[in-house]
Amino acid sequence: MYNRLIKIQKDVFGVTCGHPLAPLPRGCPQYFFYICYMKTTPVLNILFLKPLRFILLVVLLVVCGKGYGQIITTFAGGGSGGDGGPAAAASIYDPTVIIFDKHDNVYITESVGHDIRKVSPTGIITTYAGTNGTAGYGGDGGAATAAMLNEPVGIVCDSIGNLLICDALNNRVRKVDVATGIISTVLGNGTMTDLGDGGPATAATMHYPSGIIFDKAGNLYVSSAWYIRKINKYGIISTIAGIGISGNTGDGGPATSAKVNIGCMCFDDADNLIFTDVGFSVIRKISPAGIISHVAGVTGTYIFNGDGIPASNAHFDPYGIAFGPDGNLYFSDLNNNRIRVIDRSGIIHTVAGTGAVGISGDGGRADTAEIDRPDGLVFDSCGNLYFTQIDNPRVRKVTYPHCGYLSVEESKSRTSDIRFYPNPVADMLFIEGGVPLESVVLTDLLGKVVYRQDGVRAGTLLVSMGNLPCGIYVLEVMNSEGVREVRRVVKE
């Protein structure tokens, strides 16, 4: 049997999760391997192996409190502290974009603060680039912490770990070398133009670069106000969207003939480039063939008009955007003070925020909390959601009870005899209770009950998941002795 290298990562609440890093050696069956366990319990979590051609059900051991609602907390900001201390006690200024590197460090752009902050996996905040509030241009060839930036917005890490920064009002893209901390300019010369297509990116100009992202092939995409430019693996730059005029036209035709107003970008599994068209209240996409089309929203109409409706009819004010681990599309609804999600069936829901402006709700359900003009968002390696707030500036985190909220009393409770056996080939989940089962409830991450069986009165139960879409579910099982088990089920 082949051994498998897995990465063990620790969530801030004490849950350790393992994820696959690389394919197995040639000739070895293609399997995924997941491990998850609580530090405070002696029980090693269920692990399961699956051929990639079939559906994977990964059942992760969880002991948690009641309820399925996402829990919101403050991750960074809201305090008066500074560098070298806990991020949650620090003061941060106008946070916009947030990303993770491959070592689980968090980077946050402070656009009006003109710097980049870094939060380590242990929660300590420092300044990574910029001079703490001083706007300007300078410092290339020296330490990034001594350099001047002017409204940094988009950021991304390359495959090595170097940090690329959209230095928007300097009309440049800067790079901080991960090994040396030295900053340099890699795109633009300060000129407010978008020229240089067909030549090396190092000789091109870029007007107000704001969004930046890599595709899975290693090509770099940078958005300016009214263009998306692409730098291929050979360093050649070209325009893939926009004509240099703000607008929302051209759907169904070449993206290079369309009017756009770019916010943030992400890629789906089919290599479509999804972006928020800010100011026009829509989400659009560009296919690999270069055709632009409408994804969601009603052009020019952003006032909230409800959840549970087709996203094509929904009103919102989109900025940050990302796909979640469940394959659904999440985005910040800035002036509606919400985080929204479009599920795979095209229906829109609210994940966080009530629409009321404020900062209340930490420690409770995210969908009952107040948030204030959310902007950038990102998911960590354990599937938790982080987003920035421009007003009442801070970074909030949306997690789930089963991802770390574990009380001392619960951790000391006895291990039950309830067992779970996923069958990925038949797309079934077999539950064995030891004693008769009383109830089984399966809920999706939006809190919707997708399966429920009460009064089972039997020692075993077979649950079919064949009619459910891929994603993450929460399974709660209670036996006749009142013993309750909660587990996360991942269907891929």
Side-chain angles (χ1 to χ4, degrees):
M1 178 181 292
Y2 288 93
N3 290 323
R4 179 73 190 272
L5 177 64
I6 62 171
K7 180 181 181 183
I8 302 299
Q9 296 174 317
K10 186 181 296 182
D11 183 44
V12 296
F13 292 107
V15 180
T16 301
C17 297
H19 298 274
L21 291 182
L24 293 174
R26 183 181 297 274
C28 184
Q30 296 285 310
Y31 287 97
F32 279 142
F33 185 40
Y34 285 69
I35 293 179
C36 224
Y37 66 91
M38 287 286 188
K39 293 192 304 179
T40 50
T41 67
V43 183
L44 184 66
N45 186 30
I46 296 289
L47 60 88
F48 189 75
L49 302 176
K50 135 192 183 310
L52 287 181
R53 296 183 62 184
F54 296 101
I55 295 174
L56 170 65
L57 295 176
V58 183
V59 183
L60 304 177
L61 176 61
V62 178
V63 182
C64 71
K66 294 181 179 180
Y68 300 112
Q70 302 94 329
I71 303 301
I72 192 167
T73 55
T74 294
F75 173 77
S80 57
D83 284 352
S91 172
I92 59 176
Y93 188 34
D94 191 43
T96 48
V97 175
I98 178 172
I99 66 167
F100 281 84
D101 69 14
K102 60 185 178 182
H103 301 296
D104 289 335
N105 296 297
V106 178
Y107 299 86
I108 306 162
T109 57
E110 293 183 317
S111 293
V112 179
H114 311 294
D115 57 20
I116 310 295
R117 307 291 288 278
K118 175 182 176 181
V119 182
S120 72
T122 59
I124 302 302
I125 194 168
T126 54
T127 297
Y128 192 72
T131 51
N132 292 313
T134 304
Y137 174 73
D140 278 0
T145 50
M148 288 188 292
L149 307 172
N150 197 352
E151 199 169 304
V153 186
I155 49 176
V156 71
C157 285
D158 64 18
S159 59
I160 299 172
N162 301 313
L163 183 70
L164 301 178
I165 305 167
C166 288
D167 195 356
L169 287 181
N170 281 324
N171 303 297
R172 292 172 167 91
V173 175
R174 317 279 290 275
K175 180 178 80 171
V176 181
D177 188 281
V178 66
T180 65
I182 301 300
I183 194 169
S184 59
T185 295
V186 296
L187 173 61
N189 60 12
T191 304
M192 296 174 62
T193 57
D194 292 279
L195 303 175
D197 280 359
T202 52
T205 60
M206 193 85 180
H207 176 207
Y208 197 84
S210 56
I212 189 165
I213 188 174
F214 282 97
D215 66 15
K216 62 187 179 185
N219 301 302
L220 180 66
Y221 297 75
V222 183
S223 65
S224 63
W226 305 311
Y227 290 103
I228 299 176
R229 316 278 293 278
K230 174 183 176 181
I231 297 96
N232 68 20
K233 294 181 291 183
Y234 307 103
I236 303 301
I237 192 168
S238 60
T239 295
I240 69 158
I243 58 174
I245 301 173
S246 177
N248 177 245
T249 63
D251 284 350
T256 50
S257 299
K259 292 180 182 179
V260 295
N261 202 43
I262 313 299
C264 293
M265 304 176 288
C266 64
F267 281 95
D268 66 14
D269 290 339
D271 297 326
N272 295 297
L273 176 61
I274 315 295
F275 67 92
T276 52
D277 207 336
V278 299
F280 293 95
S281 307
V282 293
I283 297 171
R284 302 170 80 184
K285 76 175 180 180
I286 302 170
S287 72
I291 303 301
I292 193 168
S293 59
H294 174 272
V295 173
V298 178
T299 302
T301 305
Y302 77 88
I303 302 299
F304 180 79
N305 67 332
D307 286 320
I309 62 176
S312 57
N313 299 330
H315 301 169
F316 46 71
D317 187 22
Y319 273 73
I321 192 166
F323 280 94
D326 54 5
N328 296 324
L329 184 62
Y330 293 74
F331 64 93
S332 57
D333 191 352
L334 186 130
N335 283 306
N336 286 313
N337 305 298
R338 289 174 166 89
I339 302 296
R340 314 288 290 279
V341 59
I342 302 172
D343 66 28
R344 294 190 180 200
S345 61
I347 304 301
I348 194 166
H349 311 269
T350 292
V351 173
T354 63
V357 174
I359 56 173
S360 70
D362 277 0
R365 290 178 62 108
D367 56 0
T368 63
E370 295 175 344
I371 61 180
D372 199 347
R373 302 189 74 221
D375 192 344
L377 54 82
V378 69
F379 287 88
D380 68 13
S381 56
C382 279
N384 301 306
L385 172 65
Y386 299 71
F387 65 89
T388 60
Q389 289 187 181
I390 298 176
D391 294 338
N392 280 308
R394 62 200 65 211
V395 176
R396 311 282 287 275
K397 176 181 179 181
V398 179
T399 186
Y400 298 88
H402 61 274
C403 286
Y405 284 87
L406 181 67
S407 73
V408 175
E409 289 76 18
E410 286 168 329
S411 69
K412 291 180 180 178
S413 65
R414 69 180 178 83
T415 302
S416 77
D417 292 326
I418 301 174
R419 298 288 182 264
F420 302 84
Y421 303 98
N423 183 341
V425 177
D427 205 6
M428 306 287 285
L429 180 61
F430 182 75
I431 304 171
E432 184 177 48
V435 297
L437 298 171
E438 186 64 30
S439 66
V440 175
V441 182
L442 190 66
T443 311
D444 66 18
L445 291 187
L446 298 174
K448 178 183 177 182
V449 175
V450 297
Y451 176 91
R452 185 180 193 102
Q453 184 70 46
D454 293 313
V456 179
R457 302 288 193 273
T460 61
L461 183 67
L462 194 61
V463 178
S464 173
M465 298 186 66
N467 63 334
L468 298 178
C470 295
I472 302 174
Y473 300 87
V474 179
L475 177 69
E476 179 183 21
V477 179
M478 183 175 294
N479 68 17
S480 60
E481 295 180 347
V483 175
R484 177 174 173 270
E485 289 273 8
V486 179
R487 304 201 182 194
R488 185 169 65 177
V489 178
V490 182
K491 177 180 176 181
E492 293 186 346

